[in-house]
């Protein structure tokens, strides 16, 4: 069912909240009549914070106006006439509102659609058809909303009591004035004749006694009213503080944790709009209670009555100020984190948001936010309130920004779009720690005034840990530091403490999350893949996943110490695989064509049970970011004997010359992708199209993949007995040891510890030079001499 159709079925408070999303900035009628069109547009493809995408937003705005005008033109009949005028008016209104700022339209519609979907989801999840709750999240949201309703009732109750107290006190003052007037009258009787004075004085004294008796009783009543009201306010504030704790210490902290995991490839954090709505409700309730407390204070000053109320009011004042201070300082957050691997002299962005800025009218005097970079030690001192100075560990350009209020979404935020880290000042490193293990953070700070300059708050918030690099070659190790920190840090930690060792299943979860994000796929690492990684990480040969569940991996094992017999760490190898896959082979992984995490012996065991010409793709054990083809074929030197061959690994450099699919297409001795799929069924849609006809008399050259091995099973394409030649070496794996003597001319020194041949960089450079050479016109190839 379309979203708008579901939104129209909302009821009660949810319907009211949905309707409040609309207004002059975007009429609900436009949403209604263009519902299908609006939901079909790529709003998420436009970033309203990126001014470079304004042309996309302008195109969407123009399309929206055209659609409205088209809908208006098709209206007929008496009712259609009025609708035609109304839709035409909306088209003009939207063009006038957003023509100069089309990104605001995108922001507004994204905000509307997100909140509609959230409201619909909440309505669907809150109760099942039988009336029972469905999931924990909905239960939690329902409890929060129920508490807000209780707070509203409590605040309204104290408001009613406060009005009653005020009316009673006003009447008391009137009666007190009457008592003073009677006393004045008594005092004026001194000039009257004794007989008349006694008569009138007796009457006035009686009246004064009655009033004073009433005043005494009423004073006690007022005192009790004040006492009861203060105690009610105490209960309200206790409930308010508890609700604020749930929202700020539970929900907001969980949002920040989701944001941190998103840095490792976890799902986008989301939910910030609903958090803002809760924080705004808190702000409303807190402010109402604060105003009530101040009114009670005013009443007690207006009519002092000795009693315990003054002390209670003082406590209430302290409590409410503490509550509002916590709310203000906790809701100054980083909506969009700066990059956690930050290269100097490179532009970067960040967004800071104040969740209650609109409610507390902070936007009426827009505050300025400043960003500075500080070290881990400085961050620790800041958290402990030991450092009040603004010392920085580097220079950030364009680090000041004024907060902007967006009327359509009700958000107050500062968008740093063009920051750049000019230089960094590093501290003395500890032991084996490298520059890519040193953590910094970007500190954002500002000053807010609340309640007409009555309350002033200096607010600060720290970004997630940042690793500063000066060269792209450091990115791999810096990413390891960030991944470990994001995955294993605890909420509320001292900056930036993280465990030195973790259980293997915890690390598997982090690696799987990262891998799926890089592949942009739900196909992550299988249990078999994780066993392969465990074998590599722990130099273990067990195939039982249970054997690794209680094992721990240290940071040193992860990215300080090289793997046995290798010149790289576990993480460097794994990151090399991800880099290769996301740049060139993502589609093949998502298709399931790449097994990848298989060692040489496993590949041999798997292929030897399959027909000749069956092949599989596995990651190289010996080379970072390498992938090799292993296939089974007859031994060309011994009839009836089969062997498994491993092609020298391909790397990113190879695939920039010719794609994996084209290389597999070139190799005629590869027929079936393990276990039994014809290769063309799997790879044909990725083959490069054939070259077009010659242009200007020149034929475009083409690079082909060939293998310098003659197989006993002839290929269908070449003539019988013709070997297939290749520009890369292969190594055989056979089930008899003597089969390695096939290549007597090959030196063992050319092989790596896995028996695979190393690909020299010069080989690929030569291939590129040959390709460029063949692209030149014939007369240019030999310095002007014709061949």
């Amino acid at each position: 069912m379309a979203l708008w159709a579901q939104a129209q079925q909302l009821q009660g408070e949810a319907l009211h909240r949905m309707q409040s999303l609309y207004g002059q900035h975007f009429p609900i009628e436009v949403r209604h009549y263009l519902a299908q069109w609006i939901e079909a547009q790529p709003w998420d493809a436009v970033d309203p914070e990126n001014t470079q995408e304004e042309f996309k937003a302008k195109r969407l705005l123009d399309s929206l106006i055209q659609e409205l005008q088209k809908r208006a033109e098709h209206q007929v009949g008496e009712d259609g006439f009025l609708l035609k005028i109304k839709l035409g008016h909306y088209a003009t209104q939207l063009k006038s509102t957003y023509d100069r700022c089309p990104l605001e339209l995108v922001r507004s519609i994204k905000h509307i659609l997100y909140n509609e979907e959230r409201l619909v989801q909440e309505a669907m999840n809150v109760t099942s058809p039988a009336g029972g709750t469905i999931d924990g999240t909905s239960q939690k949201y329902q409890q929060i909303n129920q508490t807000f309703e209780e707070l509203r009732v409590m605040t309204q109750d104290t408001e009613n009591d406060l009005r009653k107290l005020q009316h009673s006190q006003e009447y008391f003052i009137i009666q007190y004035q009457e008592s003073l007037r009677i006393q004045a009258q008594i005092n004026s009787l001194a000039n009257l004749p004794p007989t008349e004075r006694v008569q009138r004085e007796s009457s006035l004294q009686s009246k004064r006694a009655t009033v004073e008796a009433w005043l005494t009783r009423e004073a006690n009543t007022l005192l009790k009213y004040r006492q009861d009201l203060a105690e009610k306010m105490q209960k309200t504030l206790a409930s308010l503080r508890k609700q604020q704790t749930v929202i700020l210490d539970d929900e907001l902290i969980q949002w920040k944790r989701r944001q941190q995991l998103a840095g490792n490839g976890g799902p986008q954090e989301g939910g910030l709009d609903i958090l803002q709505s809760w924080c705004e409700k808190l702000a409303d309730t807190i402010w109402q209670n604060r105003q009530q407390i101040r009114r009670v204070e005013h009443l007690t000053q207006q009519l002092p009555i000795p009693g315990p109320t003054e002390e209670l009011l003082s406590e209430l004042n302290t409590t409410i100020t503490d509550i509002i201070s916590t709310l203000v300082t906790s809701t100054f957050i980083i909506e969009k984190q700066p990059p956690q691997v930050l290269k100097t002299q490179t532009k970067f962005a960040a967004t800071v948001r104040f969740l209650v800025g609109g409610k507390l009218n902070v936007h009426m005097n827009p505050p300025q936010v400043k960003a500075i970079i500080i070290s881990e030690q400085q961050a620790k001192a800041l958290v402990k309130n030991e450092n009040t100075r603004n010392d920085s560990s580097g220079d950030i350009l364009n680090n000041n920004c004024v907060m902007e209020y967006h009327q359509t979404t009700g958000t107050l935020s500062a968008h740093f779009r063009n920051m750049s880290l000019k230089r960094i000042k590093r501290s003395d490193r500890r032991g084996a720690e490298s520059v890519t293990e040193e953590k910094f953070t970007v500190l954002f700070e500002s000053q807010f005034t609340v309640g007409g300059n009555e309350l002033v708050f200096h607010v600060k918030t720290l970004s997630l840990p940042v690793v500063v690099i000066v060269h792209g070659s450091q990115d791999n190790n810096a990413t390891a530091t960030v991944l470990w920190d994001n995955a294993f840090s605890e909420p509320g930690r001292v900056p930036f403490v993280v465990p030195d060792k973790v259980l293997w299943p915890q690390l598997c979860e982090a690696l799987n999350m990262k891998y799926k994000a890089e592949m942009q796929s739900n196909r992550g690492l299988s249990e078999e893949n994780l066993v392969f990684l465990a074998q590599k990480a722990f130099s273990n040969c067990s195939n039982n996943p249970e054997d690794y569940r209680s094992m721990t991996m240290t940071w040193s094992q992860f990215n300080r110490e090289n793997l046995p017999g290798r010149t790289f760490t576990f993480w460097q190898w794994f990151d090399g695989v991800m880099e290769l896959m996301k740049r060139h082979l993502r589609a093949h992984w998502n298709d399931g064509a790449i097994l990848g995490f298989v060692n040489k012996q496993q590949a041999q065991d798997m292929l030897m049970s399959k027909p000749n010409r069956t092949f599989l793709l596995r990651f190289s054990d010996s080379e970072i970011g390498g992938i090799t083809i292993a296939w089974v074929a007859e031994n060309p030197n011994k009839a009836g004997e089969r062997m498994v061959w491993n092609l020298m690994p391909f790397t990113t450099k190879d695939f920039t010359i010719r794609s994996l699919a084209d290389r597999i297409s070139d190799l005629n001795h590869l027929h079936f992708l393990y276990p039994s799929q014809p290769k063309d069924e799997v790879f044909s849609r990725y083959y490069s199209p054939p070259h077009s006809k010659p242009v200007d008399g020149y034929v475009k050259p083409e690079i082909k993949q060939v293998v310098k091995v003659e197989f006993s099973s002839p290929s269908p394409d070449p003539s019988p007995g013709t070997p297939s030649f290749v520009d890369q070496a292969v190594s055989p794996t056979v089930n008899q040891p003597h089969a390695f003597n096939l290549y007597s001319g090959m030196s063992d020194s050319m092989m790596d510890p896995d028996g695979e041949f190393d690909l020299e960089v010069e080989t690929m450079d030569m291939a590129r030079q040959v390709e460029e050479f063949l692209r030149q016109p014939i007369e240019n190839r030999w310095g002007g001499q014709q061949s």
Side-chain angles (χ1 to χ4, degrees):
M1 185 185 295
L3 177 59
W4 181 241
Q6 293 175 306
Q8 292 176 82
Q9 296 177 12
L10 295 172
Q11 297 178 355
E13 176 66 15
L15 178 61
H16 176 72
R17 286 163 63 190
M18 187 272 286
Q19 291 170 335
S20 68
L21 297 172
Y22 298 93
Q24 290 295 317
H25 63 283
F26 197 80
I28 196 170
E29 292 88 347
V30 176
R31 175 70 174 102
H32 180 74
Y33 289 107
L34 298 187
Q36 189 173 354
W37 182 89
I38 288 171
E39 291 174 32
Q41 303 312 302
W43 306 106
D44 285 335
V46 182
D47 181 4
E49 310 305 336
N50 188 351
T51 54
Q52 295 181 355
E53 297 194 354
E54 193 167 299
F55 72 97
K56 294 182 185 177
K58 184 67 165 63
R59 201 159 54 225
L60 284 167
L61 171 63
D62 292 341
S63 299
L64 174 66
I65 292 169
Q66 289 173 12
E67 197 69 23
L68 269 174
Q69 291 170 339
K70 189 192 304 181
R71 184 63 60 92
E73 290 170 3
H74 290 144
Q75 301 304 317
V76 295
E78 186 176 342
D79 294 336
F81 174 73
L82 293 175
L83 185 56
K84 180 176 183 177
I85 293 175
K86 184 177 283 191
L87 293 178
H89 168 72
Y90 289 145
T92 304
Q93 176 186 322
L94 290 173
K95 182 173 179 61
S96 172
T97 303
Y98 295 112
D99 203 38
R100 293 185 179 180
C101 51
L103 287 171
E104 284 300 311
L105 172 73
V106 175
R107 188 196 309 278
S108 177
I109 293 180
K110 286 177 75 171
H111 175 75
I112 287 169
L113 293 177
Y114 170 80
N115 280 281
E116 276 184 5
E117 188 170 1
R118 178 175 57 79
L119 289 168
V120 167
Q121 195 64 38
E122 282 182 19
M124 291 172 63
N125 288 345
V126 165
T127 57
S128 65
T133 56
I134 291 181
D135 61 56
T137 301
S138 297
Q139 273 188 313
K140 186 166 52 180
Y141 285 10
Q142 191 177 23
Q143 180 60 50
I144 289 173
N145 290 328
Q146 183 178 334
T147 303
F148 271 124
E149 178 59 22
E150 292 169 359
L151 283 168
R152 186 194 65 79
V153 171
M154 294 168 77
T155 303
Q156 186 60 51
D157 187 34
T158 51
E159 177 67 27
N160 294 337
D161 287 354
L162 179 55
R163 288 176 183 170
K164 188 189 299 182
L165 172 63
Q166 185 174 349
H167 293 156
S168 298
Q169 182 165 313
E170 287 171 353
Y171 187 64
F172 180 92
I173 291 172
I174 291 172
Q175 294 302 311
Y176 181 72
Q177 292 296 328
E178 176 65 14
S179 172
L180 294 178
R181 189 182 66 80
I182 294 171
Q183 184 61 48
Q185 286 179 338
I186 292 173
N187 293 338
S188 67
L189 295 179
N191 299 325
L192 293 178
T195 307
E196 185 179 351
R197 185 178 66 215
V198 170
Q199 183 181 1
R200 294 187 61 181
E201 185 177 9
S202 176
S203 174
L204 289 172
Q205 289 287 7
S206 175
K207 187 184 292 187
R208 188 183 70 170
T210 302
V211 171
E212 287 181 349
W214 182 90
L215 288 173
T216 301
R217 290 195 308 272
E218 191 62 18
N220 290 329
T221 302
L222 286 175
L223 187 60
K224 189 174 186 310
Y225 278 174
R226 290 178 183 180
Q227 187 77 10
D228 291 346
L229 181 56
E231 289 174 357
K232 278 189 177 181
M233 286 178 168
Q234 269 189 324
K235 291 179 181 178
T236 302
L237 296 193
S239 180
L240 188 54
R241 189 192 285 275
K242 186 177 178 182
Q243 176 80 328
Q244 181 164 283
T245 300
V246 169
I247 292 170
L248 299 183
D249 292 356
D250 295 345
E251 298 301 315
L252 185 56
I253 293 297
Q254 286 179 26
W255 178 87
K256 289 181 178 180
R257 180 60 181 152
R258 292 195 300 272
Q259 185 187 55
Q260 189 173 23
L261 289 176
N264 279 3
Q268 290 303 306
E269 57 273 18
L272 193 54
D273 285 340
I274 191 169
L275 271 169
Q276 173 161 324
S277 72
W278 288 340
C279 291
E280 287 178 339
K281 285 183 179 180
L282 281 172
D284 271 339
T285 309
I286 292 168
W287 204 252
Q288 288 174 36
N289 278 274
R290 186 173 184 276
Q291 294 302 101
Q292 288 180 5
I293 292 169
R294 299 199 61 182
R295 282 159 60 194
V296 175
E297 282 184 322
H298 177 71
L299 290 175
T300 57
Q301 291 166 4
Q302 188 182 42
L303 181 62
I305 303 175
T309 310
E310 288 78 3
E311 187 177 342
L312 263 177
L313 286 174
S314 177
E315 290 177 9
L316 290 172
N317 236 323
T318 302
T319 302
I320 200 72
T321 302
D322 182 52
I323 290 174
I324 196 169
S325 176
T326 302
L327 179 68
V328 169
T329 54
S330 299
T331 54
F332 180 62
I333 64 168
I334 302 172
E335 180 178 5
K336 179 183 177 184
Q337 292 281 341
Q340 288 187 264
V341 177
L342 187 57
K343 189 180 177 192
T344 56
Q345 311 296 332
T346 303
K347 189 173 79 169
F348 68 96
T351 300
V352 176
R353 182 163 161 183
F354 185 35
L355 298 180
V356 294
K359 283 294 178 183
L360 297 180
N361 292 325
V362 173
H363 62 287
M364 302 302 288
N365 183 21
Q368 187 175 76
V369 183
K370 182 180 180 181
I372 62 172
I373 191 163
I374 62 176
S375 68
E376 181 174 342
Q377 291 302 319
Q378 289 170 323
K380 286 179 181 176
L382 187 69
V383 169
K384 295 177 182 177
N385 292 321
E386 295 174 357
N387 181 17
T388 56
R389 298 181 301 169
N390 292 337
D391 296 335
S392 69
S393 292
D395 296 333
I396 298 179
L397 302 179
N398 303 316
N399 66 329
N400 286 285
C401 185
V402 175
M403 300 197 89
E404 302 173 14
Y405 184 68
H406 302 280
Q407 189 73 40
T408 54
T409 58
T411 58
L412 181 68
S413 52
H415 304 285
F416 294 83
R417 295 183 175 89
N418 296 293
M419 287 192 289
S420 175
L421 182 59
K422 185 178 178 181
R423 69 172 185 88
I424 192 67
K425 181 171 64 178
R426 298 190 184 275
S427 59
D428 295 332
R429 291 183 295 281
R430 301 180 297 271
E433 187 181 78
S434 67
V435 295
T436 55
E437 294 179 34
E438 187 178 5
K439 300 172 190 175
F440 296 87
T441 180
V442 180
L443 167 66
F444 295 92
E445 55 185 345
S446 185
Q447 184 170 293
F448 300 150
T449 56
V450 176
N453 296 330
E454 183 185 341
L455 298 173
V456 179
F457 297 101
H458 188 74
V459 294
K460 299 180 180 183
T461 186
L462 296 173
S463 76
L464 292 173
V466 168
V467 178
V468 177
I469 63 173
V470 296
H471 192 274
S473 61
Q474 297 172 310
D475 184 81
N476 173 286
N477 292 324
T479 301
T481 301
V482 167
L483 177 98
W484 190 276
D485 192 278
N486 285 345
F488 309 123
S489 62
E490 294 290 334
R493 63 174 171 170
V494 174
F496 290 107
V497 174
V498 70
D500 183 61
K501 63 179 179 180
V502 296
L503 286 170
W504 172 249
Q506 291 178 282
L507 184 60
C508 288
E509 186 179 346
L511 294 176
N512 187 42
M513 181 184 291
K514 184 72 172 175
Y515 193 84
K516 286 199 293 186
E518 297 293 350
M519 296 305 106
Q520 297 179 1
S521 167
N522 287 326
R523 187 196 170 201
L525 302 173
S526 66
E527 189 168 82
E528 291 78 13
N529 299 156
L530 295 173
V531 167
F532 171 89
L533 291 174
Q535 291 171 340
K536 179 175 286 292
F538 300 113
S539 300
N540 197 312
C541 55
S542 172
N543 290 319
N544 185 1
E546 295 299 323
D547 291 343
Y548 302 103
R549 296 205 185 280
S550 59
M551 296 182 73
T552 59
M553 191 169 196
T554 66
W555 165 251
S556 292
Q557 288 174 298
F558 183 67
N559 197 46
R560 270 190 190 163
E561 302 166 359
N562 289 340
L563 291 170
R566 304 297 183 211
T567 59
F568 47 80
T569 66
F570 172 82
W571 164 256
Q572 288 167 348
W573 181 89
F574 184 79
D575 187 59
V577 165
M578 288 195 298
E579 186 67 18
L580 174 74
M581 297 296 287
K582 74 179 181 181
R583 290 182 63 178
H584 300 287
L585 308 178
R586 179 187 290 149
H588 300 309
W589 172 267
N590 292 337
D591 288 346
I594 296 175
L595 290 178
F597 299 97
V598 176
N599 64 38
K600 206 167 196 178
Q601 185 59 50
Q602 288 172 330
Q604 178 181 340
D605 295 342
M606 294 163 71
L607 290 171
M608 289 299 288
S609 65
K610 298 298 176 183
N612 287 343
R613 304 181 184 179
T614 302
F615 68 98
L616 59 78
L617 296 154
R618 69 177 187 85
F619 301 131
S620 169
D621 281 326
S622 59
E623 185 163 357
I624 293 178
I627 190 168
T628 186
I629 301 173
W631 74 94
V632 62
E634 294 289 340
N635 186 339
N637 296 328
K638 189 169 184 181
E641 183 181 89
R642 302 198 318 148
M643 58 199 323
V644 172
W645 302 77
N646 289 275
L647 199 60
M648 186 176 63
F650 299 113
T651 64
T652 289
K653 288 182 179 179
D654 301 307
F655 295 131
T656 57
I657 297 172
R658 188 156 179 80
S659 72
L660 174 66
D662 287 339
R663 289 176 185 271
I664 289 173
S665 174
D666 294 340
L667 300 177
N668 295 317
H669 57 277
L670 304 182
H671 281 197
F672 304 102
L673 177 67
Y674 184 89
S676 59
Q677 286 180 281
K679 71 176 183 181
D680 288 342
E681 284 185 12
V682 181
F683 296 101
S684 60
R685 59 184 171 138
Y686 302 109
Y687 295 162
S688 297
H691 288 312
S692 57
K693 294 180 180 179
V695 179
D696 297 331
Y698 294 109
V699 177
K700 187 175 180 180
E702 184 177 4
I703 292 178
K704 287 281 189 180
Q705 174 87 30
V706 290
V707 177
K708 290 181 181 178
V709 175
E710 183 176 338
F711 298 98
S712 59
S713 302
S715 301
D717 294 334
S719 57
T722 303
S724 299
F725 292 97
V726 94
D727 59 348
Q728 291 183 302
V730 294
S731 62
T733 303
V734 294
N735 48 355
Q736 281 84 16
H738 65 268
F740 285 100
N741 298 327
L742 282 170
Y743 297 98
S744 57
M746 292 186 181
S747 169
D748 288 343
S749 63
M750 297 174 61
M751 289 188 174
D752 63 25
D754 266 354
E756 295 176 345
F757 283 77
D758 286 329
L759 174 61
E760 297 291 340
V761 174
E762 288 78 5
T763 305
M764 302 316 304
D765 290 342
M766 179 64 73
R768 293 191 188 91
Q769 292 170 16
V770 170
E771 183 180 15
E772 291 299 320
F773 174 76
L774 292 175
R775 290 180 187 275
Q776 298 176 13
I778 293 176
E779 60 271 18
N780 294 342
R781 293 182 188 168
W782 309 105
Q785 297 180 5
Q786 295 288 334
S787 60

